[in-house]
């Protein structure tokens, strides 16, 4: 009874002071996707995090793998694995299985589904949502400002540079056209995505014969090894890539896989990396 | 009378399908461009597309189709069952599992291990492993029924193995995409390496199979009758199973699992030209080649990366049902 009274008093005081309800700040947040892991680690106090996704600690997919290893990982992506951590907030992505989301909702856990990550503005919006949910609005705003400054600085350096014609290539028989995170990467790194130029939207099946007519100057590949030797070996097995002049001349830009697929603010690292590869004279 | 027309008609269909495979693709090329590219002239792009993309693809498709067609005839004669097909003994599934195993290991071993040759080699090993297993399981008694059942069981087992590997590589999209290639078959990205590793051996196996047509006719009368007519049934069965395994294994190694060609093509040709194996074998080779090239043309011209195994099955599935329902 006394504790309850104390809580009530605290609640009245904090709302009178315009502060968020202290107890409302979630203390056991579970993140289900690598993208939400990256955002959560950037904003939350370590004490607020109960568990992160399993992929979040895999260096091939996660930019924050080392950091994520300090926290428990979800065994699976199903509702039971999540509820085991008795979360007070669950972060999921649009691609989380709908059955899982339904079960979590039924369990009465607060659920935030982040479903837009095509552009930086989407990331900023996610950061704001998450900042509000975590009670870390100031941290979110600071991070967004920091990101904006870096993007701005990169744009300054690249101003007036001729965009380099690039194509993203991988053994996966799909190519990224307009409206993809790869397009976003190109837009910020002084690159022209030839697939988008040719009219491809989203991730479309690679038109193998037409690749030859697109005149890509540089192939952007994601490699698990820093020199991209693994990715290049894979491409060498596909006759359509092997025939491209850029391949023959060895003009590759290698982006680590985790960065290439990052849907968080960490993708700015990829912008800078690609810009440096394509415009070395402007970024030293 | 009709049989006399068979070879010219089938050859004409095959030539037509082959030329169409060279002429049609994503890139619009005129006939003169295609022709001059074949001769080594024309611009770089047309030359690369025709000689390095379309020609090897068509050759591999032709060989795989011929192999599956011939193998289907053999299986149906061997089991004296019109519903038998190359996939039945688990040969294709074994081949796919071999390739998929190499792919599933790739993230751990580095992709260098999954080179162009490792995949087909593993696929051939898997196919032979599956045949060996079926033969061993069915050795005692060795009746065709037992062999057939063993094949069905093995098929399920191998399929489960492949599915398991597929789940262990979830998240590795590139590996998953390649595994799908093996499971649903396809001729995209076939290169001259695939031609060299598959086509000559398939050609030789087909040649070795052709003289066995008469013995297969006798076998279709029943094992004892064949024996009494002077056929060394044990030897014949061994030859047939080895050759059809080689053909299925090679077809799987260069094109993944392509279902139904071995089932559909021999039946269509049997209905059209009669059950004589001396004829049915070469007809099914030609017909299988033409059929697969035609199906591949569908996948190529269809906008949404339609898989070859899906097309053959979409055509083969209804046909199979029709065969079952047909009044005898």
């Amino acid at each position: 009874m006394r504790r309850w009274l104390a809580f009530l008093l605290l609640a009245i005081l904090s709302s009178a002071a315009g502060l968020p309800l202290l107890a409302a700040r979630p203390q056991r947040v579970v993140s289900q996707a690598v993208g939400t892991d990256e955002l959560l680690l950037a904003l939350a106090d370590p004490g607020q995090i109960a568990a992160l996704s399993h992929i979040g600690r895999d260096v091939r997919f996660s930019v924050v793998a080392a950091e994520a290893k300090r926290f428990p990982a979800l065994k699976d992506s199903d509702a039971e694995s999540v509820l085991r951590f008795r979360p007070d907030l669950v972060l999921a992505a649009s691609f989380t299985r709908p059955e899982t989301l339904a079960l979590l909702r039924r369990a009465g856990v607060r659920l935030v589904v982040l479903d837009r990550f095509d552009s930086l503005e989407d990331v900023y919006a996610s950061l704001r949502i998450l900042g509000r949910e975590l009670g870390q609005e100031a941290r979110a705003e600071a991070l967004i400002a920091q990101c904006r400054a870096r993007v701005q600085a990169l744009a300054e350096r690249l101003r007036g540079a001729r965009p380099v014609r690039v194509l993203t290539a991988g053994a996966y028989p799909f190519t990224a056209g307009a409206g993809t995170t790869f397009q976003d990467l190109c837009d910020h790194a002084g690159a022209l995505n030839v697939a988008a130029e040719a009219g491809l939207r989203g991730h479309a099946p690679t038109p193998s014969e037409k690749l030859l007519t697109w005149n890509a100057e540089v192939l952007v590949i994601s490699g698990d090894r820093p020199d991209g030797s693994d990715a290049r070996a894979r491409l060498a097995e596909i006759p359509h890539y092997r025939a491209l002049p850029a391949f023959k001349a060895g003009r590759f830009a290698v982006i680590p896989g985790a960065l290439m697929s990052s849907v968080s603010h960490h993708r700015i690292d990829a912008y800078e990396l690609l810009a440096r590869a394509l415009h070395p004279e402007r970024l030293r | 009378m009709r049989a006399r027309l068979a070879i010219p008609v089938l050859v004409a269909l095959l030539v037509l399908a082959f030329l169409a495979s060279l002429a049609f693709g994503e890139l619009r090329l005129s006939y003169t461009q295609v022709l001059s590219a074949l001769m080594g002239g024309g611009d770089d792009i047309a030359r690369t597309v025709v000689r390095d993309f379309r020609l090897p693809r068509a050759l591999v498709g032709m060989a795989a189709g011929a192999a599956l067609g011939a193998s289907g005839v053999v299986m149906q004669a061997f089991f004296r069952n019109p519903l038998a097909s190359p996939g039945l003994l688990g040969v294709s599934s074994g081949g796919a599992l071999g390739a998929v195993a190499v792919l599933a290991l790739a993230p751990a071993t580095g992709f260098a291990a999954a080179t162009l040759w490792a995949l087909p080699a593993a696929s051939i090993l898997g196919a032979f492993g599956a045949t060996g297993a079926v033969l061993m399981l069915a050795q005692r008694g060795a009746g065709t029924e037992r062999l057939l059942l063993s094949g069905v069981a093995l098929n399920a087992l191998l399929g489960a193995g492949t599915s398991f590997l597929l789940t262990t590589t979830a998240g590795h999209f590139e590996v998953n995409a390649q595994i799908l290639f093996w499971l649903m078959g396809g001729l995209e990205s076939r290169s001259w390496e695939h031609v060299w590793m598959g086509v000559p051996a398939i050609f030789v196996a087909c040649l070795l199979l052709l003289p066995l047509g008469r013995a297969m006719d006798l076998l279709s009368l029943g094992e004892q009758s064949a024996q009494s007519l002077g056929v060394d049934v044990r030897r014949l069965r061994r030859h047939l199973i080895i050759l059809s395994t080689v053909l299925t294994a090679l077809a799987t190694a260069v094109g993944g699992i392509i279902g139904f060609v071995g089932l559909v093509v021999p039946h269509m040709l049997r209905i059209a030209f009669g059950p004589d194996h001396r004829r049915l074998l070469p007809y099914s080779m030609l017909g299988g080649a033409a059929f697969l090239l035609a199906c591949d043309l569908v996948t190529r011209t269809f906008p949404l990366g339609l898989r070859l195994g899906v097309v053959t099955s979409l055509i083969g599935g209804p046909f199979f049902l029709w065969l079952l329902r047909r009044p005898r």
Side-chain angles (χ1 to χ4, degrees):
Chain A
M1 188 68 182
R2 195 178 291 168
R3 260 176 67 187
W4 192 82
L5 276 176
F7 175 78
L8 194 67
L9 191 65
L10 192 67
I12 291 165
L13 280 175
S14 62
S15 62
L19 291 169
L21 192 66
L22 276 180
R25 188 182 260 200
Q27 296 302 320
R28 301 198 55 78
V29 184
V30 171
S31 157
Q32 271 205 304
V34 61
T36 50
D37 290 347
E38 289 176 6
L39 296 174
L40 181 63
L41 281 169
L43 295 186
D45 289 330
Q48 286 183 287
I49 302 175
L52 299 173
S53 78
H54 196 72
I55 304 184
R57 47 170 62 199
D58 188 330
V59 72
R60 289 172 304 173
F61 308 111
S62 166
V63 184
V64 293
E67 220 182 318
K69 280 188 185 140
R70 298 209 306 264
F71 298 93
L74 291 175
K75 198 170 152 285
D76 205 343
S77 60
D78 66 335
E80 197 177 323
S81 302
V82 173
L83 293 175
R84 207 166 65 84
F85 288 96
R86 287 176 289 109
D88 49 9
L89 174 64
V90 176
L91 305 179
S94 52
F95 46 82
T96 306
R97 274 193 300 239
E99 308 92 282
T100 307
L101 294 182
L103 284 172
L104 289 173
R105 281 200 185 96
R106 198 175 305 161
V109 185
R110 173 128 187 90
L111 184 63
V112 172
V113 181
L114 297 175
D115 57 358
R116 300 194 54 88
F117 26 67
D118 285 342
S119 71
L120 260 186
E121 288 306 322
D122 293 336
V123 174
Y124 296 155
S126 296
L127 282 170
R128 288 210 170 93
I129 293 171
L130 200 53
R132 206 163 47 237
E133 290 289 337
L134 293 169
Q136 304 284 10
E137 287 97 332
R139 229 175 255 178
E141 290 306 327
L143 182 57
I144 292 168
Q146 220 177 63
C147 290
R148 284 197 200 280
R150 274 173 76 188
V151 172
Q152 179 71 26
L154 189 61
E156 297 287 343
R157 294 281 190 97
L158 292 174
R159 179 158 300 153
R162 183 189 69 86
V164 179
R165 301 175 61 81
V166 302
L167 172 74
T168 176
Y172 196 49
F174 284 80
T175 300
T180 58
T181 49
F182 180 71
Q183 183 60 47
D184 177 60
L185 172 61
C186 291
D187 291 344
H188 286 90
L192 187 148
N193 180 7
V194 292
E197 186 192 46
L200 254 63
R201 288 204 56 80
H203 291 269
T206 313
S208 45
E209 293 181 359
K210 286 185 186 153
L211 289 183
L212 281 173
T213 64
W214 288 355
N215 300 318
E217 296 170 87
V218 175
L219 300 178
V220 181
I221 55 179
S222 75
D224 291 339
R225 294 194 199 143
D227 63 347
S229 56
D230 52 334
R232 265 184 280 183
R234 268 172 285 165
L235 287 191
E237 291 175 15
I238 301 169
H240 309 117
Y241 290 123
R242 209 160 52 197
L244 292 177
F247 183 94
K248 289 182 188 161
R251 290 194 300 267
F252 293 99
V254 184
I255 312 282
L259 267 187
M260 186 83 150
S261 57
S262 175
V263 292
S264 75
H265 55 288
H266 287 287
R267 69 168 85 178
I268 296 173
D269 293 345
Y271 299 167
E272 290 169 349
L273 213 63
L274 182 59
R276 198 165 291 129
L278 299 180
H279 303 281
E281 73 292 345
R282 285 172 176 256
L283 294 122
R284 285 183 216 285
Chain B
M1 190 213 105
R2 276 156 89 200
R4 241 186 347 174
L5 285 175
I7 294 280
V9 167
L10 288 170
V11 168
L13 280 176
L14 179 58
V15 169
L16 207 68
F18 189 76
L19 291 179
S21 295
L22 295 184
F24 296 112
E26 290 155 10
L27 215 61
R28 278 251 181 97
L29 297 175
S30 70
Y31 293 108
T32 46
Q33 269 178 308
V34 172
L35 208 65
S36 80
L38 265 182
M39 305 300 187
D43 65 304
D44 275 352
I45 290 179
R47 210 163 45 232
T48 308
V49 165
V50 174
R51 285 169 58 150
D52 293 337
F53 297 176
R54 293 184 189 173
L55 188 56
R57 181 172 182 160
L59 288 172
V60 167
M62 203 166 78
L68 292 171
S71 187
V73 174
V74 172
M75 287 287 174
Q76 284 152 24
F78 188 95
F79 289 113
R80 288 197 287 135
N81 187 326
L83 303 178
S85 72
L88 201 72
L89 281 188
V91 181
S92 309
S93 321
L97 181 61
V100 169
V102 171
L103 281 170
L105 287 174
T109 56
F111 277 87
T115 54
L116 218 48
W117 291 87
L119 284 177
S123 163
I124 289 171
L125 267 174
F128 272 92
T131 308
V134 171
L135 289 179
M136 258 169 53
L137 285 168
Q139 212 166 30
R140 266 171 288 163
T144 48
E145 204 170 281
R146 197 179 272 250
L147 215 51
L148 215 60
L149 278 173
S150 309
V152 170
L154 197 70
N155 240 330
L157 187 68
L158 293 167
T162 304
S163 303
F164 169 69
L165 290 177
L166 196 59
T167 53
T168 61
T169 58
H172 228 287
F173 301 115
E174 291 194 351
V175 176
N176 270 357
Q178 289 194 53
I179 291 179
L180 282 184
F181 171 89
W182 289 93
L183 295 185
M184 292 195 273
L187 295 175
E188 62 264 32
S189 295
R190 298 298 88 181
S191 60
W192 283 104
E193 285 93 332
H194 296 100
V195 174
W196 299 132
M197 70 178 80
V199 178
I202 287 176
F203 186 72
V204 170
C206 281
L207 282 185
L208 289 175
L209 203 53
L210 282 175
L212 300 180
R214 198 183 129 68
M216 285 164 71
D217 273 343
L218 297 176
L219 188 66
S220 65
L221 300 172
E223 282 174 25
Q224 282 175 349
S225 313
Q227 197 99 48
S228 67
L229 289 168
V231 177
D232 183 346
V233 171
R234 271 178 68 98
R235 209 167 138 235
L236 175 66
R237 284 164 56 99
R238 199 171 59 231
H239 282 178
L240 290 180
I241 207 89
I242 290 174
L243 284 174
S244 71
T245 303
V246 168
L247 286 171
T248 309
L250 288 169
T252 309
V254 294
I257 294 185
I258 304 168
F260 281 111
V261 178
L263 177 76
V264 172
V265 172
H267 281 297
M268 288 201 282
L269 296 167
R270 200 177 281 123
I271 291 166
F273 304 116
D276 181 344
H277 285 99
R278 279 171 299 180
R279 293 194 188 131
L280 197 57
L281 270 173
Y283 295 174
S284 295
M285 291 170 192
L286 292 169
F291 177 74
L292 200 63
L293 284 184
C295 288
D296 183 47
L297 271 170
V298 175
T299 70
R300 255 195 279 184
T301 38
F302 209 82
L304 285 171
L306 197 60
R307 309 288 319 180
L308 182 57
V310 176
V311 175
T312 55
S313 294
L314 280 178
I315 297 172
F319 185 79
F320 186 91
L321 295 175
W322 174 73
L323 275 182
L324 290 176
R325 283 181 53 86
R326 209 162 52 108
R328 283 164 193 263

